[in-house]
């Protein structure tokens, strides 16, 4: 078998790229999540909530819906279909906390759910907290001069 024949053989067995389809699915599902957030925002503002309170309520609702769908094993199916479209909004962060908690619940509440809940999101939370403290100290020192 020549190198060219081998190359054609490998190409015939290799799975075809679904990059365009995956990108489109991520785009429209992520857009749908953001549209839901905007509809909730408009609804809360129609109830005479301020913009700040409305955005807080929208974040709470999206996190709750994401955790609920994760608990019912629906969010994972959506994520398999949409990829990064479900990971980029705030719902992806809620899923990263809820998924390990659900997965390890058979090990008990303390050593399973509580201990494993932050395995994925924990480093993000710690890094964000430490970075904000360091930034605050630098800003405070900067304002002294």
């Amino acid at each position: 078998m020549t190198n060219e024949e081998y190359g054609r053989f490998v190409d015939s067995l290799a799975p075809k790229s679904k990059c365009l389809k995956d990108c489109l699915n991520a785009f429209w599902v992520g857009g749908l999540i953001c549209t839901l957030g905007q509809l909730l925002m408009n609804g809360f503002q129609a109830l005479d909530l301020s913009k700040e309170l409305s955005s807080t309520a929208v974040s709470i609702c999206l996190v709750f819906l994401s955790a609920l769908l994760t608990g019912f094993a629906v969010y994972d199916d959506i994520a398999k279909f949409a990829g990064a479209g479900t990971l980029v909004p705030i719902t992806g962060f809620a899923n990263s906390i809820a998924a390990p908690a659900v997965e390890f619940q058979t090990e008990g509440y303390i050593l399973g759910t509580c201990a494993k809940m932050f395995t994925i999101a924990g480093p993000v939370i710690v890094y964000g907290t430490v970075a904000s403290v360091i930034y605050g100290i630098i800003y405070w020192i900067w304002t002294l001069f």
Side-chain angles (χ1 to χ4, degrees):
M1 183 178 280
T2 66
N3 286 340
E4 292 174 8
E5 292 173 337
Y6 181 74
R8 284 193 297 268
F9 176 70
V10 169
D11 288 340
S12 69
L13 295 177
K16 302 299 180 219
S17 174
K18 302 182 293 181
C19 184
L20 182 62
K21 180 181 149 233
D22 291 344
C23 288
L24 288 174
N25 287 340
F27 178 77
W28 76 264
V29 172
L32 200 63
I33 293 170
C34 293
T35 302
L36 173 64
Q38 186 62 50
L39 289 172
L40 288 169
M41 180 82 155
N42 293 347
F44 286 125
Q45 286 181 338
L47 296 173
D48 290 332
L49 264 68
S50 67
K51 186 174 183 178
E52 291 81 21
L53 286 177
S54 295
S55 59
T56 301
V58 168
S59 296
I60 290 169
C61 288
L62 290 176
V63 166
F64 173 76
L65 285 173
S66 175
L68 184 69
L69 291 175
T70 300
F72 287 128
V74 174
Y75 197 88
D76 291 338
D77 294 335
I78 297 170
K80 285 178 189 172
F81 175 75
T86 59
L87 300 177
V88 175
I90 193 171
T91 55
F93 184 73
N95 174 262
S96 71
I97 291 176
V102 171
E103 183 178 346
F104 292 104
Q105 70 184 4
T106 57
E107 295 180 22
Y109 287 115
I110 302 299
L111 297 177
T113 302
C114 294
K116 303 291 184 177
M117 188 181 322
F118 296 105
T119 55
I120 296 173
V124 175
I125 294 169
V126 170
Y127 177 78
T129 304
V130 170
S132 66
V133 168
I134 292 171
Y135 176 77
I137 291 170
I138 292 170
Y139 181 75
W140 176 69
I141 292 171
W142 183 267
T143 58
L144 291 176
F145 301 108

